[in-house]
Amino acid sequence: MNLLFMQTAAPAIDAAPHFPVAFTLVYVVGFVAAVTIGSIAWYNSKRPAGWESKERPDFVPKVDKEETPGVGEPKS
């Protein structure tokens, strides 16, 4: 009797869904990208109170502001 139960339970154990590692990887890479892009945007924005005299880190690129971005003729 016990052998019959073990034989019928074996396919159910093998067919159990596995945790999708690819989805987890997408979430981790997306989080890292969001933090990186957000940090660059924050450093390029107006400085919050208390941060006016702080220097920009070397790894953050300088983004020049345009007076009317996306309007007019291309500059190239």
Side-chain angles (χ1 to χ4, degrees):
M1 182 81 162
N2 193 11
L3 182 61
L4 179 63
F5 175 72
M6 290 175 63
Q7 288 176 348
T8 56
I13 293 171
D14 291 340
H18 298 291
F19 190 73
V21 177
F23 290 134
T24 304
L25 184 62
V26 167
Y27 288 127
V28 168
V29 170
F31 178 77
V32 169
V35 168
T36 303
I37 293 168
S39 296
I40 291 171
W42 183 81
Y43 277 114
N44 282 313
S45 68
K46 181 181 174 188
R47 300 280 192 257
W51 286 80
E52 296 91 349
S53 64
K54 302 297 180 195
E55 291 294 320
R56 178 184 315 273
D58 294 335
F59 62 89
V60 177
K62 175 71 175 152
V63 178
D64 295 326
K65 295 181 181 178
E66 294 182 19
E67 195 169 313
T68 55
V71 178
E73 296 294 320
K75 293 182 179 181
S76 60

Short mmCIF file of all heavy atoms in Angstrom, two decimals:
data_model
loop_
_atom_site.label_atom_id
_atom_site.label_comp_id
_atom_site.label_asym_id
_atom_site.label_seq_id
_atom_site.Cartn_x
_atom_site.Cartn_y
_atom_site.Cartn_z
N MET A 1 0.83 -1.18 0.00
CA MET A 1 0.00 0.00 0.00
C MET A 1 0.88 1.25 0.00
O MET A 1 0.61 2.19 -0.71
CB MET A 1 -0.90 -0.03 1.23
CG MET A 1 -1.84 1.13 1.30
SD MET A 1 -3.21 0.78 0.24
CE MET A 1 -4.36 1.94 0.86
N ASN A 2 1.90 1.25 0.83
CA ASN A 2 2.79 2.39 0.91
C ASN A 2 3.53 2.59 -0.42
O ASN A 2 3.78 3.71 -0.83
CB ASN A 2 3.78 2.18 2.05
CG ASN A 2 4.51 3.46 2.39
OD1 ASN A 2 4.15 4.52 1.92
ND2 ASN A 2 5.55 3.34 3.19
N LEU A 3 3.90 1.52 -1.07
CA LEU A 3 4.59 1.59 -2.35
C LEU A 3 3.70 2.23 -3.41
O LEU A 3 4.16 3.05 -4.21
CB LEU A 3 5.03 0.19 -2.79
CG LEU A 3 5.80 0.11 -4.09
CD1 LEU A 3 7.09 0.90 -3.99
CD2 LEU A 3 6.07 -1.32 -4.45
N LEU A 4 2.42 1.92 -3.41
CA LEU A 4 1.48 2.50 -4.36
C LEU A 4 1.37 4.01 -4.16
O LEU A 4 1.36 4.78 -5.12
CB LEU A 4 0.10 1.83 -4.21
CG LEU A 4 -0.98 2.37 -5.14
CD1 LEU A 4 -0.61 2.09 -6.59
CD2 LEU A 4 -2.32 1.75 -4.80
N PHE A 5 1.32 4.45 -2.91
CA PHE A 5 1.23 5.89 -2.63
C PHE A 5 2.48 6.61 -3.10
O PHE A 5 2.41 7.70 -3.67
CB PHE A 5 1.03 6.11 -1.13
CG PHE A 5 1.05 7.56 -0.75
CD1 PHE A 5 0.00 8.40 -1.09
CD2 PHE A 5 2.13 8.10 -0.08
CE1 PHE A 5 0.02 9.73 -0.76
CE2 PHE A 5 2.17 9.44 0.25
CZ PHE A 5 1.10 10.26 -0.08
N MET A 6 3.63 6.02 -2.89
CA MET A 6 4.88 6.64 -3.29
C MET A 6 4.98 6.74 -4.81
O MET A 6 5.49 7.73 -5.34
CB MET A 6 6.07 5.89 -2.72
CG MET A 6 6.21 6.05 -1.21
SD MET A 6 7.51 5.06 -0.49
CE MET A 6 8.94 5.72 -1.28
N GLN A 7 4.47 5.75 -5.52
CA GLN A 7 4.51 5.77 -6.98
C GLN A 7 3.58 6.84 -7.54
O GLN A 7 3.89 7.47 -8.54
CB GLN A 7 4.15 4.40 -7.55
CG GLN A 7 5.23 3.37 -7.34
CD GLN A 7 4.81 2.00 -7.83
OE1 GLN A 7 3.63 1.78 -8.12
NE2 GLN A 7 5.76 1.08 -7.93
N THR A 8 2.43 7.04 -6.91
CA THR A 8 1.50 8.04 -7.43
C THR A 8 1.92 9.45 -7.02
O THR A 8 1.59 10.41 -7.70
CB THR A 8 0.07 7.77 -6.93
OG1 THR A 8 0.08 7.74 -5.51
CG2 THR A 8 -0.47 6.47 -7.48
N ALA A 9 2.64 9.61 -5.94
CA ALA A 9 3.08 10.93 -5.50
C ALA A 9 4.33 11.39 -6.25
O ALA A 9 4.58 12.59 -6.34
CB ALA A 9 3.37 10.92 -4.01
N ALA A 10 5.09 10.50 -6.80
CA ALA A 10 6.33 10.86 -7.48
C ALA A 10 6.11 11.78 -8.68
O ALA A 10 6.82 12.77 -8.81
CB ALA A 10 7.09 9.61 -7.89
N PRO A 11 5.14 11.53 -9.55
CA PRO A 11 4.95 12.46 -10.68
C PRO A 11 4.53 13.86 -10.21
O PRO A 11 4.90 14.85 -10.83
CB PRO A 11 3.85 11.82 -11.50
CG PRO A 11 3.89 10.38 -11.15
CD PRO A 11 4.34 10.33 -9.72
N ALA A 12 3.80 13.96 -9.14
CA ALA A 12 3.37 15.27 -8.66
C ALA A 12 4.56 16.07 -8.13
O ALA A 12 4.62 17.29 -8.30
CB ALA A 12 2.32 15.10 -7.57
N ILE A 13 5.49 15.41 -7.53
CA ILE A 13 6.69 16.09 -7.01
C ILE A 13 7.57 16.56 -8.17
O ILE A 13 8.08 17.67 -8.17
CB ILE A 13 7.48 15.16 -6.06
CG1 ILE A 13 6.65 14.92 -4.80
CG2 ILE A 13 8.81 15.77 -5.70
CD1 ILE A 13 7.23 13.87 -3.89
N ASP A 14 7.72 15.73 -9.20
CA ASP A 14 8.54 16.10 -10.35
C ASP A 14 7.92 17.24 -11.16
O ASP A 14 8.62 18.02 -11.77
CB ASP A 14 8.74 14.89 -11.27
CG ASP A 14 9.62 13.84 -10.61
OD1 ASP A 14 10.36 14.19 -9.67
OD2 ASP A 14 9.56 12.67 -11.04
N ALA A 15 6.60 17.33 -11.17
CA ALA A 15 5.90 18.33 -11.97
C ALA A 15 5.69 19.64 -11.22
O ALA A 15 5.06 20.54 -11.72
CB ALA A 15 4.55 17.78 -12.41
N ALA A 16 6.22 19.76 -10.01
CA ALA A 16 6.05 20.99 -9.24
C ALA A 16 6.72 22.14 -9.97
O ALA A 16 7.81 21.99 -10.53
CB ALA A 16 6.66 20.82 -7.85
N PRO A 17 6.07 23.31 -9.99
CA PRO A 17 6.67 24.44 -10.71
C PRO A 17 7.96 24.92 -10.03
O PRO A 17 8.05 24.95 -8.81
CB PRO A 17 5.58 25.52 -10.64
CG PRO A 17 4.75 25.14 -9.47
CD PRO A 17 4.80 23.65 -9.37
N HIS A 18 8.92 25.25 -10.84
CA HIS A 18 10.19 25.74 -10.33
C HIS A 18 10.15 27.26 -10.30
O HIS A 18 9.51 27.89 -11.13
CB HIS A 18 11.35 25.26 -11.21
CG HIS A 18 11.47 23.77 -11.23
ND1 HIS A 18 11.86 23.04 -10.15
CD2 HIS A 18 11.23 22.88 -12.21
CE1 HIS A 18 11.87 21.78 -10.46
NE2 HIS A 18 11.47 21.63 -11.70
N PHE A 19 10.86 27.88 -9.38
CA PHE A 19 10.89 29.33 -9.28
C PHE A 19 11.62 29.89 -10.49
O PHE A 19 12.74 29.47 -10.79
CB PHE A 19 11.58 29.75 -7.99
CG PHE A 19 11.45 31.20 -7.69
CD1 PHE A 19 10.24 31.72 -7.27
CD2 PHE A 19 12.52 32.06 -7.85
CE1 PHE A 19 10.10 33.06 -7.01
CE2 PHE A 19 12.39 33.40 -7.59
CZ PHE A 19 11.17 33.91 -7.17
N PRO A 20 11.02 30.83 -11.21
CA PRO A 20 11.65 31.34 -12.43
C PRO A 20 12.84 32.25 -12.12
O PRO A 20 12.68 33.39 -11.70
CB PRO A 20 10.54 32.12 -13.12
CG PRO A 20 9.59 32.47 -12.02
CD PRO A 20 9.71 31.39 -10.98
N VAL A 21 14.02 31.75 -12.34
CA VAL A 21 15.25 32.49 -12.06
C VAL A 21 15.39 33.66 -13.02
O VAL A 21 15.89 34.73 -12.64
CB VAL A 21 16.47 31.55 -12.16
CG1 VAL A 21 17.77 32.30 -11.97
CG2 VAL A 21 16.34 30.43 -11.15
N ALA A 22 14.93 33.51 -14.25
CA ALA A 22 15.04 34.58 -15.24
C ALA A 22 14.26 35.81 -14.80
O ALA A 22 14.73 36.94 -14.96
CB ALA A 22 14.54 34.10 -16.60
N PHE A 23 13.07 35.63 -14.25
CA PHE A 23 12.28 36.77 -13.79
C PHE A 23 12.98 37.48 -12.64
O PHE A 23 12.98 38.71 -12.56
CB PHE A 23 10.89 36.32 -13.37
CG PHE A 23 10.03 35.90 -14.52
CD1 PHE A 23 9.30 34.74 -14.45
CD2 PHE A 23 9.96 36.65 -15.68
CE1 PHE A 23 8.50 34.34 -15.50
CE2 PHE A 23 9.17 36.26 -16.74
CZ PHE A 23 8.44 35.10 -16.66
N THR A 24 13.57 36.73 -11.75
CA THR A 24 14.29 37.33 -10.63
C THR A 24 15.48 38.14 -11.15
O THR A 24 15.74 39.24 -10.67
CB THR A 24 14.79 36.23 -9.67
OG1 THR A 24 13.67 35.45 -9.25
CG2 THR A 24 15.47 36.83 -8.47
N LEU A 25 16.17 37.62 -12.13
CA LEU A 25 17.30 38.33 -12.71
C LEU A 25 16.85 39.63 -13.36
O LEU A 25 17.51 40.67 -13.23
CB LEU A 25 18.01 37.44 -13.74
CG LEU A 25 19.27 38.01 -14.37
CD1 LEU A 25 20.33 38.25 -13.31
CD2 LEU A 25 19.78 37.08 -15.44
N VAL A 26 15.71 39.62 -14.03
CA VAL A 26 15.17 40.84 -14.65
C VAL A 26 14.86 41.88 -13.58
O VAL A 26 15.16 43.07 -13.74
CB VAL A 26 13.92 40.52 -15.49
CG1 VAL A 26 13.16 41.79 -15.88
CG2 VAL A 26 14.30 39.74 -16.73
N TYR A 27 14.26 41.46 -12.48
CA TYR A 27 13.95 42.40 -11.40
C TYR A 27 15.23 42.99 -10.78
O TYR A 27 15.29 44.18 -10.50
CB TYR A 27 13.13 41.73 -10.31
CG TYR A 27 11.71 41.45 -10.73
CD1 TYR A 27 11.17 40.19 -10.61
CD2 TYR A 27 10.90 42.46 -11.23
CE1 TYR A 27 9.87 39.93 -11.00
CE2 TYR A 27 9.61 42.22 -11.62
CZ TYR A 27 9.09 40.95 -11.49
OH TYR A 27 7.80 40.71 -11.87
N VAL A 28 16.23 42.19 -10.58
CA VAL A 28 17.48 42.66 -9.97
C VAL A 28 18.19 43.64 -10.91
O VAL A 28 18.62 44.72 -10.49
CB VAL A 28 18.40 41.47 -9.61
CG1 VAL A 28 19.80 41.94 -9.26
CG2 VAL A 28 17.79 40.67 -8.48
N VAL A 29 18.29 43.29 -12.19
CA VAL A 29 18.94 44.17 -13.16
C VAL A 29 18.15 45.47 -13.31
O VAL A 29 18.72 46.56 -13.38
CB VAL A 29 19.11 43.46 -14.51
CG1 VAL A 29 19.56 44.43 -15.61
CG2 VAL A 29 20.10 42.31 -14.39
N GLY A 30 16.83 45.38 -13.31
CA GLY A 30 16.00 46.58 -13.39
C GLY A 30 16.16 47.49 -12.20
O GLY A 30 16.20 48.71 -12.33
N PHE A 31 16.26 46.90 -11.02
CA PHE A 31 16.45 47.70 -9.81
C PHE A 31 17.79 48.42 -9.85
O PHE A 31 17.87 49.61 -9.54
CB PHE A 31 16.36 46.80 -8.57
CG PHE A 31 16.59 47.55 -7.29
CD1 PHE A 31 15.60 48.34 -6.75
CD2 PHE A 31 17.81 47.46 -6.63
CE1 PHE A 31 15.82 49.05 -5.57
CE2 PHE A 31 18.04 48.15 -5.46
CZ PHE A 31 17.03 48.94 -4.92
N VAL A 32 18.83 47.72 -10.23
CA VAL A 32 20.16 48.34 -10.31
C VAL A 32 20.16 49.47 -11.35
O VAL A 32 20.71 50.55 -11.11
CB VAL A 32 21.24 47.28 -10.64
CG1 VAL A 32 22.57 47.93 -10.98
CG2 VAL A 32 21.39 46.32 -9.47
N ALA A 33 19.52 49.25 -12.48
CA ALA A 33 19.44 50.29 -13.51
C ALA A 33 18.66 51.50 -13.01
O ALA A 33 19.05 52.64 -13.25
CB ALA A 33 18.80 49.73 -14.78
N ALA A 34 17.55 51.27 -12.31
CA ALA A 34 16.75 52.37 -11.79
C ALA A 34 17.52 53.19 -10.77
O ALA A 34 17.46 54.43 -10.76
CB ALA A 34 15.46 51.83 -11.18
N VAL A 35 18.26 52.52 -9.90
CA VAL A 35 19.06 53.24 -8.90
C VAL A 35 20.17 54.04 -9.58
O VAL A 35 20.42 55.20 -9.22
CB VAL A 35 19.63 52.25 -7.86
CG1 VAL A 35 20.69 52.90 -7.00
CG2 VAL A 35 18.51 51.68 -7.00
N THR A 36 20.82 53.47 -10.57
CA THR A 36 21.89 54.16 -11.27
C THR A 36 21.37 55.39 -12.02
O THR A 36 21.91 56.49 -11.89
CB THR A 36 22.59 53.21 -12.26
OG1 THR A 36 23.07 52.07 -11.54
CG2 THR A 36 23.73 53.89 -12.98
N ILE A 37 20.31 55.22 -12.79
CA ILE A 37 19.74 56.33 -13.55
C ILE A 37 19.18 57.39 -12.61
O ILE A 37 19.35 58.59 -12.83
CB ILE A 37 18.67 55.81 -14.53
CG1 ILE A 37 19.33 54.96 -15.60
CG2 ILE A 37 17.89 56.96 -15.15
CD1 ILE A 37 18.37 54.18 -16.45
N GLY A 38 18.54 56.96 -11.54
CA GLY A 38 18.01 57.91 -10.56
C GLY A 38 19.10 58.70 -9.88
O GLY A 38 18.95 59.89 -9.61
N SER A 39 20.21 58.07 -9.58
CA SER A 39 21.34 58.77 -8.95
C SER A 39 21.93 59.82 -9.88
O SER A 39 22.24 60.93 -9.46
CB SER A 39 22.43 57.77 -8.53
OG SER A 39 21.93 56.90 -7.55
N ILE A 40 22.09 59.46 -11.15
CA ILE A 40 22.62 60.42 -12.12
C ILE A 40 21.66 61.60 -12.25
O ILE A 40 22.07 62.76 -12.26
CB ILE A 40 22.87 59.74 -13.48
CG1 ILE A 40 24.04 58.77 -13.36
CG2 ILE A 40 23.13 60.77 -14.57
CD1 ILE A 40 24.23 57.89 -14.56
N ALA A 41 20.36 61.34 -12.32
CA ALA A 41 19.38 62.41 -12.43
C ALA A 41 19.39 63.29 -11.18
O ALA A 41 19.27 64.51 -11.27
CB ALA A 41 17.99 61.83 -12.66
N TRP A 42 19.52 62.69 -10.03
CA TRP A 42 19.52 63.46 -8.79
C TRP A 42 20.75 64.37 -8.72
O TRP A 42 20.65 65.53 -8.36
CB TRP A 42 19.49 62.54 -7.58
CG TRP A 42 19.41 63.32 -6.30
CD1 TRP A 42 18.30 63.86 -5.74
CD2 TRP A 42 20.51 63.66 -5.44
NE1 TRP A 42 18.63 64.51 -4.59
CE2 TRP A 42 19.98 64.40 -4.37
CE3 TRP A 42 21.86 63.40 -5.47
CZ2 TRP A 42 20.77 64.88 -3.34
CZ3 TRP A 42 22.65 63.89 -4.45
CH2 TRP A 42 22.10 64.63 -3.39
N TYR A 43 21.91 63.85 -9.08
CA TYR A 43 23.13 64.65 -9.03
C TYR A 43 23.09 65.79 -10.05
O TYR A 43 23.74 66.81 -9.87
CB TYR A 43 24.38 63.80 -9.25
CG TYR A 43 24.85 63.13 -7.99
CD1 TYR A 43 24.81 61.75 -7.86
CD2 TYR A 43 25.34 63.87 -6.94
CE1 TYR A 43 25.25 61.13 -6.70
CE2 TYR A 43 25.78 63.27 -5.78
CZ TYR A 43 25.73 61.90 -5.67
OH TYR A 43 26.15 61.29 -4.52
N ASN A 44 22.38 65.60 -11.15
CA ASN A 44 22.30 66.63 -12.18
C ASN A 44 21.17 67.62 -11.92
O ASN A 44 21.01 68.58 -12.66
CB ASN A 44 22.14 66.00 -13.56
CG ASN A 44 23.45 65.49 -14.08
OD1 ASN A 44 24.45 66.18 -14.01
ND2 ASN A 44 23.45 64.27 -14.56
N SER A 45 20.36 67.39 -10.93
CA SER A 45 19.28 68.31 -10.62
C SER A 45 19.77 69.39 -9.67
O SER A 45 20.93 69.41 -9.24
CB SER A 45 18.12 67.55 -9.98
OG SER A 45 18.50 67.08 -8.70
N LYS A 46 18.86 70.31 -9.33
CA LYS A 46 19.21 71.36 -8.37
C LYS A 46 19.55 70.71 -7.04
O LYS A 46 18.89 69.78 -6.60
CB LYS A 46 18.02 72.30 -8.22
CG LYS A 46 18.28 73.43 -7.28
CD LYS A 46 17.05 74.31 -7.17
CE LYS A 46 17.29 75.36 -6.12
NZ LYS A 46 16.09 76.12 -5.83
N ARG A 47 20.56 71.22 -6.39
CA ARG A 47 21.00 70.66 -5.12
C ARG A 47 19.99 70.94 -4.01
O ARG A 47 19.51 72.06 -3.89
CB ARG A 47 22.34 71.26 -4.71
CG ARG A 47 23.44 71.03 -5.70
CD ARG A 47 24.00 69.63 -5.52
NE ARG A 47 25.23 69.49 -6.27
CZ ARG A 47 25.30 68.86 -7.40
NH1 ARG A 47 24.24 68.34 -7.94
NH2 ARG A 47 26.45 68.76 -8.03
N PRO A 48 19.68 69.95 -3.19
CA PRO A 48 18.79 70.17 -2.05
C PRO A 48 19.48 71.03 -0.98
O PRO A 48 20.70 71.21 -1.02
CB PRO A 48 18.52 68.77 -1.50
CG PRO A 48 19.11 67.82 -2.47
CD PRO A 48 20.03 68.56 -3.37
N ALA A 49 18.72 71.52 -0.05
CA ALA A 49 19.26 72.35 1.02
C ALA A 49 20.36 71.60 1.77
O ALA A 49 20.17 70.44 2.15
CB ALA A 49 18.16 72.76 1.98
N GLY A 50 21.49 72.25 1.94
CA GLY A 50 22.62 71.62 2.63
C GLY A 50 23.62 70.98 1.70
O GLY A 50 24.71 70.61 2.11
N TRP A 51 23.27 70.78 0.43
CA TRP A 51 24.15 70.13 -0.53
C TRP A 51 24.69 71.11 -1.57
O TRP A 51 25.36 70.70 -2.52
CB TRP A 51 23.41 69.01 -1.26
CG TRP A 51 23.19 67.81 -0.42
CD1 TRP A 51 22.22 67.64 0.52
CD2 TRP A 51 23.97 66.62 -0.41
NE1 TRP A 51 22.34 66.42 1.10
CE2 TRP A 51 23.40 65.77 0.55
CE3 TRP A 51 25.08 66.19 -1.12
CZ2 TRP A 51 23.91 64.51 0.81
CZ3 TRP A 51 25.58 64.93 -0.86
CH2 TRP A 51 25.00 64.11 0.10
N GLU A 52 24.42 72.40 -1.43
CA GLU A 52 24.83 73.36 -2.44
C GLU A 52 26.34 73.41 -2.64
O GLU A 52 26.81 73.62 -3.75
CB GLU A 52 24.33 74.78 -2.08
CG GLU A 52 22.83 74.89 -2.06
CD GLU A 52 22.23 74.63 -0.70
OE1 GLU A 52 22.95 74.15 0.20
OE2 GLU A 52 21.04 74.89 -0.51
N SER A 53 27.11 73.26 -1.58
CA SER A 53 28.57 73.38 -1.68
C SER A 53 29.26 72.05 -1.97
O SER A 53 30.48 72.00 -2.08
CB SER A 53 29.12 73.96 -0.37
OG SER A 53 28.87 73.06 0.69
N LYS A 54 28.53 70.97 -2.11
CA LYS A 54 29.14 69.65 -2.36
C LYS A 54 29.55 69.51 -3.82
O LYS A 54 28.89 70.02 -4.72
CB LYS A 54 28.16 68.53 -2.00
CG LYS A 54 27.68 68.56 -0.57
CD LYS A 54 28.83 68.35 0.38
CE LYS A 54 28.32 68.39 1.82
NZ LYS A 54 29.33 68.54 2.78
N GLU A 55 30.64 68.82 -4.05
CA GLU A 55 31.13 68.60 -5.41
C GLU A 55 30.42 67.40 -6.03
O GLU A 55 30.03 66.47 -5.34
CB GLU A 55 32.64 68.32 -5.38
CG GLU A 55 33.47 69.53 -5.01
CD GLU A 55 33.37 70.62 -6.06
OE1 GLU A 55 33.37 70.30 -7.26
OE2 GLU A 55 33.29 71.80 -5.66
N ARG A 56 30.33 67.44 -7.34
CA ARG A 56 29.75 66.33 -8.10
C ARG A 56 30.76 65.19 -8.15
O ARG A 56 31.94 65.43 -8.43
CB ARG A 56 29.43 66.81 -9.51
CG ARG A 56 28.86 65.76 -10.43
CD ARG A 56 28.67 66.30 -11.83
NE ARG A 56 28.06 67.62 -11.86
CZ ARG A 56 26.74 67.83 -11.86
NH1 ARG A 56 25.93 66.81 -11.83
NH2 ARG A 56 26.27 69.05 -11.87
N PRO A 57 30.35 63.94 -7.89
CA PRO A 57 31.29 62.82 -7.99
C PRO A 57 31.83 62.67 -9.41
O PRO A 57 31.16 63.05 -10.38
CB PRO A 57 30.44 61.60 -7.62
CG PRO A 57 29.29 62.14 -6.86
CD PRO A 57 29.04 63.51 -7.40
N ASP A 58 33.03 62.14 -9.55
CA ASP A 58 33.67 62.00 -10.85
C ASP A 58 32.93 61.06 -11.79
O ASP A 58 32.98 61.22 -13.01
CB ASP A 58 35.11 61.50 -10.69
CG ASP A 58 36.00 62.52 -10.00
OD1 ASP A 58 35.67 63.72 -10.07
OD2 ASP A 58 37.00 62.11 -9.39
N PHE A 59 32.24 60.07 -11.26
CA PHE A 59 31.60 59.08 -12.10
C PHE A 59 30.24 59.54 -12.64
O PHE A 59 29.66 58.88 -13.49
CB PHE A 59 31.43 57.74 -11.36
CG PHE A 59 30.55 57.82 -10.15
CD1 PHE A 59 29.19 57.64 -10.24
CD2 PHE A 59 31.10 58.08 -8.90
CE1 PHE A 59 28.38 57.73 -9.12
CE2 PHE A 59 30.30 58.15 -7.77
CZ PHE A 59 28.93 57.98 -7.89
N VAL A 60 29.74 60.68 -12.19
CA VAL A 60 28.45 61.20 -12.65
C VAL A 60 28.70 62.16 -13.81
O VAL A 60 29.39 63.16 -13.65
CB VAL A 60 27.70 61.91 -11.51
CG1 VAL A 60 26.40 62.52 -12.01
CG2 VAL A 60 27.44 60.96 -10.37
N PRO A 61 28.13 61.87 -14.99
CA PRO A 61 28.37 62.75 -16.13
C PRO A 61 27.64 64.09 -15.98
O PRO A 61 26.58 64.16 -15.38
CB PRO A 61 27.80 61.96 -17.32
CG PRO A 61 26.80 61.05 -16.71
CD PRO A 61 27.30 60.73 -15.33
N LYS A 62 28.22 65.13 -16.54
CA LYS A 62 27.61 66.45 -16.52
C LYS A 62 26.64 66.55 -17.69
O LYS A 62 27.00 66.28 -18.83
CB LYS A 62 28.69 67.53 -16.64
CG LYS A 62 28.16 68.93 -16.76
CD LYS A 62 27.56 69.40 -15.45
CE LYS A 62 27.15 70.85 -15.57
NZ LYS A 62 26.07 71.20 -14.70
N VAL A 63 25.39 66.90 -17.42
CA VAL A 63 24.37 67.05 -18.45
C VAL A 63 24.00 68.53 -18.50
O VAL A 63 23.52 69.09 -17.52
CB VAL A 63 23.13 66.19 -18.14
CG1 VAL A 63 22.06 66.40 -19.19
CG2 VAL A 63 23.51 64.72 -18.05
N ASP A 64 24.28 69.16 -19.65
CA ASP A 64 23.96 70.57 -19.82
C ASP A 64 22.47 70.73 -20.11
O ASP A 64 21.89 69.99 -20.90
CB ASP A 64 24.77 71.19 -20.96
CG ASP A 64 26.25 71.20 -20.64
OD1 ASP A 64 26.59 71.37 -19.45
OD2 ASP A 64 27.06 71.02 -21.56
N LYS A 65 21.85 71.75 -19.51
CA LYS A 65 20.44 72.02 -19.71
C LYS A 65 20.28 72.87 -20.97
O LYS A 65 21.05 73.77 -21.23
CB LYS A 65 19.85 72.76 -18.51
CG LYS A 65 19.85 71.94 -17.26
CD LYS A 65 19.23 72.73 -16.13
CE LYS A 65 19.25 71.92 -14.85
NZ LYS A 65 18.70 72.64 -13.70
N GLU A 66 19.23 72.59 -21.75
CA GLU A 66 18.88 73.39 -22.90
C GLU A 66 17.72 74.29 -22.51
O GLU A 66 16.87 73.92 -21.70
CB GLU A 66 18.49 72.50 -24.07
CG GLU A 66 19.61 71.65 -24.60
CD GLU A 66 19.16 70.81 -25.79
OE1 GLU A 66 18.13 71.13 -26.40
OE2 GLU A 66 19.84 69.82 -26.07
N GLU A 67 17.67 75.48 -23.12
CA GLU A 67 16.59 76.39 -22.79
C GLU A 67 15.25 75.84 -23.27
O GLU A 67 14.24 75.91 -22.58
CB GLU A 67 16.86 77.75 -23.43
CG GLU A 67 15.99 78.84 -22.87
CD GLU A 67 16.46 80.20 -23.32
OE1 GLU A 67 17.68 80.46 -23.24
OE2 GLU A 67 15.60 80.96 -23.77
N THR A 68 15.23 75.29 -24.49
CA THR A 68 14.00 74.69 -25.03
C THR A 68 14.35 73.31 -25.59
O THR A 68 14.58 73.15 -26.79
CB THR A 68 13.41 75.57 -26.16
OG1 THR A 68 14.42 75.79 -27.13
CG2 THR A 68 12.90 76.88 -25.62
N PRO A 69 14.40 72.30 -24.75
CA PRO A 69 14.81 70.97 -25.21
C PRO A 69 13.80 70.37 -26.18
O PRO A 69 12.59 70.44 -25.96
CB PRO A 69 14.90 70.16 -23.92
CG PRO A 69 14.01 70.87 -22.97
CD PRO A 69 14.05 72.32 -23.34
N GLY A 70 14.30 69.83 -27.27
CA GLY A 70 13.45 69.15 -28.22
C GLY A 70 12.71 70.07 -29.18
O GLY A 70 11.92 69.62 -30.00
N VAL A 71 12.97 71.39 -29.11
CA VAL A 71 12.27 72.34 -29.97
C VAL A 71 13.31 72.95 -30.91
O VAL A 71 14.39 73.34 -30.50
CB VAL A 71 11.59 73.45 -29.12
CG1 VAL A 71 10.92 74.47 -30.02
CG2 VAL A 71 10.59 72.84 -28.17
N GLY A 72 12.96 73.06 -32.17
CA GLY A 72 13.86 73.71 -33.13
C GLY A 72 14.60 72.72 -34.00
O GLY A 72 14.27 71.54 -34.06
N GLU A 73 15.62 73.23 -34.66
CA GLU A 73 16.41 72.44 -35.60
C GLU A 73 17.44 71.59 -34.86
O GLU A 73 17.93 72.01 -33.82
CB GLU A 73 17.14 73.38 -36.57
CG GLU A 73 16.22 74.18 -37.44
CD GLU A 73 15.45 73.30 -38.42
OE1 GLU A 73 16.06 72.34 -38.95
OE2 GLU A 73 14.26 73.55 -38.63
N PRO A 74 17.77 70.45 -35.42
CA PRO A 74 18.85 69.63 -34.82
C PRO A 74 20.17 70.40 -34.86
O PRO A 74 20.42 71.17 -35.80
CB PRO A 74 18.91 68.39 -35.69
CG PRO A 74 17.62 68.35 -36.43
CD PRO A 74 17.13 69.77 -36.52
N LYS A 75 21.01 70.20 -33.86
CA LYS A 75 22.28 70.94 -33.76
C LYS A 75 23.40 70.34 -34.58
O LYS A 75 24.45 70.93 -34.71
CB LYS A 75 22.71 71.01 -32.29
CG LYS A 75 21.78 71.85 -31.48
CD LYS A 75 22.26 71.94 -30.04
CE LYS A 75 21.32 72.80 -29.24
NZ LYS A 75 21.74 72.93 -27.85
N SER A 76 23.23 69.15 -35.13
CA SER A 76 24.31 68.50 -35.87
C SER A 76 24.39 68.87 -37.31
O SER A 76 24.14 69.79 -37.87
CB SER A 76 24.17 66.99 -35.82
OG SER A 76 22.96 66.59 -36.40
#
